[in-house]
Structures are given as structure tokens and as C-alpha cells.
């Protein structure tokens, strides 16, 4: 079969393969269940960042704030509500989602009127400030952090539970965003990215649209924070909840690596980045951060359009 006639996989073929991996992976690879769970967390990170950075053109370094709010909301509810584990977890996840959305509305109303580098720097300051506030607040453990309740199930069930929970969250996030991008709201996001002044002149209420987009991202990040905190078992204010130097940067890198502003780019970028990172931590112990730094440089220099953009260019050359 010639290259020009090689069949292309549809979205549903790819989705079916990922769904099969999500459902069977924890049982086929039980020793890697935690790593698979973190993979789905990375997918949520990349998808939620791409709604702002890729679809709307607002590069945020403050999305980690909503993840941290979700971490602490779940931990405090589970600690103080006196409920059994799963009831406390469900209530904590709901509280994290609600508080994250409220924070996005407040921060969005204050910050989404500015653009470009000013917005990026402002959101970076949000993440740093949130980490320092949590590190000095005794109610949430201050710099000592918070321990989460122990999972009540059998040995090994905990990893599988959070693996499936984060897989379900990533699937819901992807499907909802896929639908949103096909609606008029999705077109409005692209209009803001392409030329906000023209979008304003055409009568689009750009600031409310931007706030809604940030709130949607915050909703999923709030839930993911509660799940991740319980999976890790401990919240450190700077290294877990508001880990801007790791999670906060990785969100951006994964979307760029895969191809920001595309449907599958953030998912692909999350897979490639997470697998590469795990290989670094396995085979380059002691040098893993150096290798990760070099990977970041390679992504920015050689893949500015992302893997999806690179594939599109190759496909266009082949077709011509």
C-alpha cells in the first residue's frame, strides 16, 4: 500500500484504543498502576491548560492554583467532616471543584482584562503566592504539610481505584472539551485568540467568555487535586499542591509538545512527556533533572508547533 493511500486513524479509533488501555491497563500492568494514574493526571493537566493557552491564546502559569485548592479542600473535608473515607472523599472533591471555580471567577474578573506577557507573569505570581500562603497557614499544616486518610481497601486496591478515578476524570474532561470546541463557544475562544479587538468589535463579550473558559479548567483541576492528594497520601504546599516548578510548568510543556490548540495534541503530549519522564527517572537516576531540562529545551527549539503540527507538515509535503 502506498504512503498516500495508507489509512488514517479516526478520532474514534484512537479513543477506543485509549479506552481499552484505560480499562485494562491496571490489570495487565498492576505494578505500573500508580504511573498509569499519574499519566491520566497529566492528560487532565494538558487539556485544561490548552483551553486557555491553545484555544484562547492566554498563556497561564497559574492553573496550578486550582489544583492546589482541590488538594487542600479534599484534605480539610476528610479531616474535619467525620465521614467515612469514600463519603468524605466525594464531599471533598465536590468542595474542591466548587472552590476552584469560585477562585477562577474571582481571579478571572481581576486578571483576564490584561493580555500577553503581563497575564502570564500575573498568573505566575498567583501560583507563587498561593504556595507561600499555604506554607504559612497553620490550619492546613503550614510548611509541615497535611497527611491524608489511609485508603480502607485491600493492598493494591488503592492504586487501581485512583487509576480508574483519574481515567474517568480525563475521559470526561476530553469529551466535554471536544463538544465545547464544536460549539459557538469554541469558535468564540478561537476568535479571542486570533484577534480579541475584532471579537470585541463584533459584539462578543470576551471577558465573560474568558472567565467561563478558566472556570471550566478550574473545575477539572480542583477534582484532580483531591484525587492526586489522596493517591500521594501527603500534601506539601510547594512540592505537591502548588508545585509550579514541576506540575505548573509541565502543563504548558505537554500542550506545546503535542501541539497546542488541537484536540489530540495535549493528550499526545501528556503521553510522550510522562513516558519519557518515567524513563529518565528509571535509567538516569541522579541525572534525571538534567535530562528533563534538556528535553524542555528540545521541545521549545525543535517542536514549536508540536508533534501534531510536525505531522501535519509532513502530511502536506507527502500529499504534494
Amino acid at each position: 500500500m502506498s504512503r498516500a493511500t495508507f489509512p488514517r486513524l479516526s478520532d474514534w479509533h484512537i479513543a477506543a484504543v485509549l479506552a481499552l488501555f484505560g480499562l485494562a491497563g491496571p490489570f495487565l500492568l498492576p505494578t505500573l498502576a500508580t504511573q498509569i494514574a499519574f499519566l491520566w493526571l497529566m492528560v487532565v493537566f494538558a487539556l485544561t491548560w490548552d483551553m486557555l493557552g491553545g484555544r484562547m491564546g492566554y498563556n497561564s502559569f497559574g492553573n496550578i492554583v486550582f489544583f492546589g485548592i482541590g488538594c487542600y479542600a479534599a484534605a480539610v473535608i476528610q479531616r474535619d467532616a467525620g465521614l467515612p473515607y469514600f463519603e468524605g472523599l466525594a464531599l471533598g472533591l465536590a468542595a474542591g471543584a466548587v472552590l476552584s471555580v469560585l477562585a477562577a471567577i474571582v481571579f478571572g474578573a481581576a486578571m483576564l482584562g490584561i493580555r500577553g506577557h503581563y497575564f502570564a507573569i500575573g498568573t505566575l505570581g498567583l501560583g507563587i503566592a498561593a504556595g507561600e500562603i499555604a506554607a504559612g497557614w497553620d490550619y492546613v499544616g503550614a510548611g509541615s504539610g497535611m497527611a491524608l486518610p489511609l485508603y480502607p481497601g485491600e493492598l493494591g486496591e488503592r492504586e487501581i481505584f485512583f487509576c480508574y478515578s483519574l481515567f474517568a476524570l480525563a475521559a470526561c474532561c476530553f469529551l466535554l472539551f471536544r463538544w465545547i470546541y464544536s460549539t459557538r463557544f469554541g469558535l468564540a475562544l478561537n476568535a479571542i485568540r486570533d484577534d480579541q479587538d475584532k471579537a470585541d468589535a463584533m459584539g462578543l463579550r470576551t471577558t465573560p467568555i474568558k472567565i467561563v473558559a478558566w472556570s471550566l479548567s478550574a473545575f477539572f483541576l480542583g477534582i484532580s487535586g483531591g484525587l492526586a492528594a489522596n493517591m500521594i497520601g501527603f500534601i506539601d504546599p510547594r512540592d505537591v499542591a502548588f508545585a509550579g516548578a514541576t506540575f505548573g510548568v509541565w502543563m504548558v510543556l505537554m500542550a506545546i509538545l503535542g501541539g497546542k490548540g488541537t484536540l489530540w495534541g495535549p493528550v499526545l503530549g501528556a503521553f510522550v512527556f510522562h513516558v519519557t519522564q518515567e524513563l529518565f527517572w528509571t535509567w538516569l537516576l541522579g541525572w534525571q533533572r538534567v535530562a528533563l531540562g534538556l528535553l524542555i529545551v528540545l521541545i521549545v527549539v525543535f517542536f514549536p508547533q508540536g508533534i501534531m503540527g510536525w505531522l501535519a507538515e509532513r502530511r502536506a509535503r507527502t500529499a504534494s
Side-chain angles (χ1 to χ4, degrees), residues 14 17 42 69 85 95 125 131 133 136 183 196 239 248 251 289 310:
I14 299 172
V17 171
M42 296 297 114
I69 290 173
Y85 183 84
I133 290 171
T183 65
Q196 184 173 330
D239 293 335
M251 294 180 190
R289 294 191 181 276
W310 180 79

Side-chain angles (χ1 to χ4, degrees), residues 87-314:
E87 287 84 347
L89 175 61
L91 184 59
L93 296 180
V98 170
L99 291 174
S100 296
V101 169
L102 291 176
I105 293 172
V106 173
F107 295 148
M111 300 190 63
L112 284 168
I114 58 178
R115 310 181 192 178
H117 303 305
Y118 300 103
F119 177 78
I121 293 171
T123 55
L124 177 62
L126 281 180
I128 295 173
E132 293 303 317
I133 290 171
W137 192 4
D138 291 333
Y139 182 68
V140 293
S144 299
M146 288 185 68
L148 278 294
L150 294 176
Y151 184 84
E154 298 290 335
L155 185 65
E157 288 183 6
R158 173 177 172 274
E159 290 77 9
I160 292 177
F161 172 78
F162 287 110
C163 189
Y164 280 126
S165 298
L166 286 165
F167 167 64
L169 182 67
C172 290
C173 182
F174 175 84
L175 292 173
L176 178 62
F177 285 11
R178 185 180 189 274
W179 172 75
I180 286 174
Y181 295 151
S182 67
T183 65
R184 292 173 62 89
F185 185 82
L187 294 176
L189 295 178
N190 293 339
I192 292 171
R193 177 192 63 197
D194 295 338
D195 195 324
Q196 184 173 330
D197 292 329
K198 288 184 179 179
D200 284 323
M202 293 173 62
L204 288 178
R205 301 180 61 194
T206 55
T207 297
I209 291 171
K210 292 183 286 186
I211 292 174
V212 170
W214 213 9
S215 299
L216 286 169
S217 296
F219 175 82
F220 286 101
L221 286 170
I223 297 175
S224 70
L227 290 172
N230 275 269
M231 180 173 64
I232 296 170
F234 181 80
I235 304 174
D236 183 277
R238 298 188 184 94
D239 293 335
V240 176
F242 302 105
T246 52
F247 291 159
V249 173
W250 296 350
M251 294 180 190
V252 184
L253 291 175
M254 290 184 291
I256 293 176
L257 174 60
K260 67 178 185 176
T262 63
L263 180 64
W264 285 103
V267 179
L268 177 61
F271 268 77
V272 173
F273 182 85
H274 183 65
V275 171
T276 304
Q277 178 190 214
E278 289 296 324
L279 292 175
F280 286 167
W281 255 250
T282 301
W283 300 104
L284 299 176
L285 188 62
W287 291 89
Q288 67 271 19
R289 294 191 181 276
V290 175
L292 190 60
L294 292 176
L295 175 64
I296 292 171
V297 174
L298 291 175
I299 291 172
V300 173
V301 174
F302 294 103
F303 290 93
Q305 300 299 320
I307 296 174
M308 297 296 290
W310 180 79
L311 290 175
E313 290 180 1
R314 292 292 300 271

